[in-house]
Amino acid sequence: MTQRINAYLARALGRSRRSCDDLIACGRVTVAGRAALPNDRVDDSVVVLFDGKPLHAPAQNYVAFNKPAGYLTARRDERDKTVHELLPPRYKNLFPVGRLDKDTRGLLLFTNDGDWAQKLLHPSHEIVKRYRVELNRVPSLDMIRSRVQLHDGPSLFDSVEPVDIKDKHVVEVTLHEGRKRQIRRHMRELGYRILDLVRTEIGGILLGDLPEGSLRALSRDEIGSITRSDRRAGGKKDRGGSRKAKR
């Protein structure tokens, strides 16, 4: 099966598709003896060279990782520890799908499948993400559920629910956006301080009881759940034209 050249490069080099677009634009990639073009489609039978050396895209991998606090979602950093330092050698070529900030724990997905990652990341697909949020004081649920104006636009969670009637400091937040530090900024704007923030779900893929700092391969059903979510979103758009904003 063919795929776009930037997706093939992302899988072979373990980079983002955007950075692979830059490699193509710089003329560092050739396809079948000529300079690669952004719209080229290739498969494993086509000779692809990067800086004159042949590339062989590895098998596609999909991994769930329980990120500890204190690690940046990055390949390398001069000052801080990164999540890539925790990956086994066989998964070093994978890239994270989205990010968790340094102080946030929980579910982080890794893959070398650029198309699958795009379905997770693009806002139009509305993939739901779920978080467990521990606050410094008992919150007003109505207040947290309200729209909050941030510097980059309004913030409105899909849902906010208590987790345990015995621990009223903890709430479960779901949203489908994923703007930088959105939950932390939303809560801070309302006067709350977050003591602990854990992502527990992405599009039906659950963190479950995966130990902190550990990873597991995704099942076929979990991988397919993202595609199914994307199809459902697309179907809603087709029926209604443009989808109304969630309330």
Side-chain angles (χ1 to χ4, degrees), residues 31-177:
V31 174
R34 61 165 176 80
L37 300 173
N39 291 329
D40 282 341
R41 299 190 68 85
V42 300
D43 58 25
D44 291 335
S45 68
V46 178
V47 177
V48 178
L49 304 182
F50 171 59
D51 287 345
K53 298 179 181 179
L55 289 179
H56 303 285
Q60 292 176 325
N61 286 297
Y62 310 83
V63 170
F65 175 69
N66 188 351
K67 175 192 173 297
Y71 288 81
L72 292 181
T73 305
R75 285 187 173 278
R76 60 186 65 87
D77 188 84
E78 294 180 357
R79 294 176 299 179
D80 292 306
K81 299 176 292 185
T82 72
V83 291
H84 263 78
E85 297 173 22
L86 301 176
L87 297 182
R90 63 173 296 197
Y91 292 129
K92 293 290 188 183
N93 70 318
L94 304 186
F95 56 84
V97 184
R99 295 177 180 274
L100 288 176
D101 65 49
K102 181 179 177 180
D103 297 323
T104 300
R105 304 186 293 123
L107 183 61
L108 185 63
L109 302 179
F110 286 84
T111 188
N112 53 359
D113 183 342
D115 292 332
W116 188 79
Q118 180 68 5
K119 291 171 184 174
L120 274 165
L121 293 174
H122 199 281
S124 66
H125 301 304
E126 298 193 350
I127 301 297
V128 170
K129 304 172 186 70
R130 198 177 310 274
Y131 298 81
R132 180 185 179 277
V133 188
E134 182 180 355
L135 300 168
N136 63 321
R137 56 189 172 89
V138 177
S140 164
L141 296 182
D142 287 340
M143 181 183 295
I144 295 175
R145 288 168 180 152
S146 65
R147 188 185 302 270
V148 172
Q149 186 63 41
L150 303 177
H151 72 82
D152 55 351
S155 171
L156 182 66
F157 298 144
D158 291 5
S159 68
V160 179
E161 301 296 338
V163 173
D164 188 336
I165 59 173
K166 296 180 181 179
D167 189 354
K168 296 182 179 180
H169 291 75
V170 181
V171 295
E172 182 181 78
V173 170
T174 62
L175 72 165
H176 65 272
E177 286 186 272

